[in-house]
């Protein structure tokens, strides 16, 4: 399997419901380094996995929907604990939508999957992987 990974970051605020979250039940900020990995079994006609420039732009666009926002105030997340794992899936699903719409170019229609990793810190991260 071939892969290409692009990286960006986002800064959000949010809070959690549930004793399991301890002090994170209070409003707090998080800065995530976000890696989006695009996967395919065979290279496309240009011998690439995906156009890195387009992948970078689309990741930036998806993260721009969340960056500098209090997720507690966003209607799309009403009643949702926006955990790192949940946000990894959210970003992966939005990138998949952009692949299917053609935003990453025609060659991207041959992608087999996407994996998104959100790094909370240098010692903790979560990922979500999905097929295309």
């Amino acid at each position: 399997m071939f892969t290409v990974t692009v990286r960006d970051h986002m800064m959000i605020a949010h809070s959690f419901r549930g004793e399991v979250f301890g002090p994170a039940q209070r409003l707090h900020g998080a800065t995530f380094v976000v890696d989006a990995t695009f996967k395919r079994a065979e290279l496309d006609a240009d011998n690439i996995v995906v156009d890195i420039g387009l992948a970078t732009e689309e990741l930036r666009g998806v993260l721009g929907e969340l960056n500098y926002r209090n997720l507690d105030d966003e209607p799309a997340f009403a009643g949702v604990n926006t955990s790192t794992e949940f946000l990894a899936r959210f970003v992966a699903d939005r990138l998949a939508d952009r692949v299917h719409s053609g935003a990453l170019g025609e060659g991207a229609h041959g992608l087999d999957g996407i994996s998104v990793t959100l790094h909370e810190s240098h010692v903790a991260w979560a990922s979500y992987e999905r097929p295309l």
Side-chain angles (χ1 to χ4, degrees):
M1 188 69 65
F2 293 96
T3 65
V4 164
T5 302
V6 295
R7 176 174 277 184
D8 205 335
H9 75 283
M10 67 176 171
M11 293 181 269
I12 57 102
H14 62 170
S15 61
F16 297 122
R17 286 182 318 284
E19 291 298 319
V20 68
F21 294 105
Q25 292 176 82
R26 293 188 298 273
L27 183 64
H28 62 280
T31 299
F32 295 105
V33 173
V34 181
D35 292 329
T37 300
F38 299 86
K39 303 174 181 192
R40 67 187 309 145
E42 299 296 330
L43 299 176
D44 73 5
D46 296 310
N47 277 339
I48 62 173
V49 172
V50 69
D51 181 312
I52 291 175
L54 291 176
T56 300
E57 286 177 27
E58 294 306 318
L59 176 59
R60 184 176 304 122
V62 168
L63 299 182
E65 298 171 14
L66 305 172
N67 205 20
Y68 293 108
R69 295 221 165 80
N70 179 350
L71 301 185
D72 295 350
D73 295 338
E74 296 297 316
F77 302 125
V80 174
N81 277 330
T82 51
S83 65
T84 305
E85 298 89 337
F86 173 88
L87 292 172
R89 182 181 66 190
F90 180 88
V91 172
D93 288 346
R94 292 309 170 278
L95 285 172
D97 292 344
R98 290 174 182 228
V99 167
H100 294 308
S101 76
L104 279 88
E106 287 303 311
H109 290 298
L111 289 169
D112 294 310
I114 296 175
S115 176
V116 172
T117 301
L118 271 66
H119 301 265
E120 289 189 46
S121 71
H122 66 289
V123 297
W125 55 90
S127 299
Y128 179 77
E129 185 173 343
R130 59 159 291 157
L132 286 173

